[in-house]
Amino acid sequence: MLVAALVAAMATTCAVSGVAYLIPALHDDGVSLTEGAWLAALPTVGLTLSMVGWGLALDRRGERRVLLVSLALTVIATGATALAAAYHAPLPVIGACLLAGGLACGAGNGASGRIVVGWFPPNLRGTAMGMRQMAQPLGVGICALTMPVLAAHRGAAAALIIPFAVSVIALGLTALLIVDPRRPEPATGNSTAHSDPNVSENPYRTGGFLTRVHTVSLLLVIPQGMLWTFVPTWLIVGLHWSPAAAGLLVTITQILGALGRIAAGRVSDRMGSRMRPVRIISVAAVVFTALLALTAWMHAPVVAVVAMMLASVISVADNGLAFTAIAEYAGPRWSGRSLAIQNTSQYLAMSATTPIFGALIAAAGFPLAFAVAAAAPLLAIGVVPHDPPTEN
């Protein structure tokens, strides 16, 4: 069940992120960088627009049915994109296919999170969700390792088969393995669920817990998005690394980040708390992002690179904890929408802050941008809520 959920979430990552790795090949074929950037952005636009709707469907119809529909539509959309590229369709047609892929794949993240919370007991959920959260770095890694090579040797259409293939595999695994979780019993022991999850009361009206978790995650995703977007440029332009060396270091950092998510989940299971580790992660994100800013300003490249890797790993460690806490608190009647709001707010935060950081780097350099990024987790420390009371 966990593997099927992981691959379903990977299908979302590949459908949304894969086209970004084709920009160099598209540029060689006469597509401008601006047009390539717009094509790369369209799947994310579709995903952002559709996640809340898919979340509502999950709350009302259950995981298996909605995930099968979502993945089937993703297979159609990614296959249509590859065919459009193979037959040299106009860019608006290819863009429409990419947008449709983003709209189609919006159930993957929420459904897979609900499956983990529904099938794993409270003392294993953090660890299991950390494993599920490996979907993003694994999906990015698959696309990064395969699509540029295929595009360079076989063309963009051949590379676009990768998101299609991952979606087909995810659809097959879902059909074979996914079963809707049983309705859990009322929370006991160290569960962080706030009430009987079968009730349909709006959890946003029972207190500010979900709102504060969303806010913390929004703040913590700002340095995460900044580092993911601009570290390759910093390494290549600022530190004069070769593109191959920079790409290898980024890949290693992604792998460490995936392992860090599992470790954070395991710690939360041992502590019986989701929010105390998030508070620790917020403090650590401030420390290492600020250290990165300081060492970059002091021109200490070795220490700066180490600080960057630690900041990158720490900045993603909260994702699984927040996802688990939201699903536990909201219950199966509301977790689809709550997880969709979580993802949507994070995508919007990254989309809004990326051009700001780009302008800041152009005007004042990387050290100041890193310092500004450290301010976001500093604000998050005071927003992290206490774990909701458990009920026996």
Side-chain angles (χ1 to χ4, degrees):
M1 199 80 71
L2 180 58
V3 170
L6 170 68
V7 178
M10 282 177 58
T12 297
T13 297
C14 292
V16 170
S17 303
V19 70
Y21 297 98
L22 302 183
I23 292 177
L26 293 171
H27 184 60
D28 290 341
D29 291 338
V31 177
S32 71
L33 292 178
T34 301
E35 290 171 332
W38 275 109
L39 289 175
L42 284 171
T44 302
V45 172
L47 179 66
T48 304
L49 292 174
S50 69
M51 278 191 292
V52 173
W54 283 114
L56 178 60
L58 287 167
D59 291 335
R60 294 185 175 179
R61 301 296 182 183
E63 294 79 7
R64 176 182 168 84
R65 184 186 305 178
V66 173
L67 193 53
L68 284 171
V69 172
S70 176
L71 288 171
L73 292 174
T74 305
V75 168
I76 294 171
T78 53
T81 304
L83 285 174
Y87 285 96
H88 306 287
L91 287 183
V93 174
I94 296 175
C97 293
L98 290 169
L99 179 65
L103 291 168
C105 69
N109 288 331
S112 58
R114 284 165 56 103
I115 289 164
V116 169
V117 170
W119 281 109
F120 286 82
N123 65 329
L124 293 176
R125 283 177 191 158
T127 306
M129 189 69 80
M131 294 179 179
R132 206 290 299 169
Q133 291 291 97
M134 292 176 66
Q136 189 176 46
L138 289 176
V140 168
I142 288 173
C143 292
L145 290 174
T146 59
M147 294 184 71
V149 176
L150 284 172
H153 291 87
R154 300 290 182 180
L160 287 167
I161 292 175
I162 297 299
F164 170 75
V166 175
S167 300
V168 169
I169 294 169
L171 179 61
L173 290 176
T174 297
L176 288 173
L177 301 176
I178 294 294
V179 178
D180 284 345
R182 298 181 294 270
R183 291 289 188 186
E185 297 296 325
T188 57
N190 66 343
S191 172
T192 56
H194 76 299
S195 62
D196 183 346
N198 289 300
V199 302
S200 58
E201 183 181 4
N202 185 340
Y204 291 94
R205 296 178 180 173
T206 62
F209 179 78
L210 289 180
T211 302
R212 292 181 69 173
V213 173
H214 293 325
T215 304
V216 169
S217 298
L218 185 152
L219 290 168
L220 291 178
V221 85
I222 290 173
Q224 172 186 326
M226 188 271 179
L227 293 170
W228 280 6
T229 303
F230 294 107
V231 158
T233 305
W234 173 62
L235 293 171
I236 294 169
V237 176
L239 301 184
H240 309 292
W241 285 37
S242 70
L248 178 60
L249 182 66
V250 170
T251 301
I252 292 171
T253 304
Q254 287 277 352
I255 294 171
L256 293 175
L259 297 175
R261 296 179 190 205
I262 299 174
R266 188 57 184 159
V267 168
S268 79
D269 289 338
R270 291 286 183 90
M271 295 176 68
S273 169
R274 310 301 179 205
M275 292 297 104
R276 278 186 286 163
V278 170
R279 189 173 290 107
I280 295 169
I281 289 166
S282 300
V283 173
V286 174
V287 171
F288 288 107
T289 309
L291 179 62
L292 169 59
L294 178 63
T295 52
W297 175 71
M298 294 176 63
H299 303 288
V302 175
V303 181
V305 167
V306 174
M308 178 277 295
M309 295 181 69
L310 291 170
S312 298
V313 171
I314 290 165
S315 68
V316 302
D318 69 293
N319 290 350
L321 303 180
F323 231 60
T324 306
I326 290 167
E328 288 177 330
Y329 187 89
R333 299 288 180 101
W334 275 89
S335 61
R337 281 162 283 185
S338 298
L339 293 174
I341 291 170
Q342 169 81 354
N343 278 326
T344 301
S345 63
Q346 289 185 304
Y347 275 111
L348 290 175
M350 285 194 290
S351 299
T353 56
T354 295
I356 295 173
F357 280 117
L360 185 60
I361 291 168
F366 285 99
L368 182 58
F370 293 144
V372 172
L378 180 63
L379 294 174
I381 294 171
V383 183
V384 179
H386 294 291
D387 291 289
T390 60
E391 296 187 3
N392 295 314

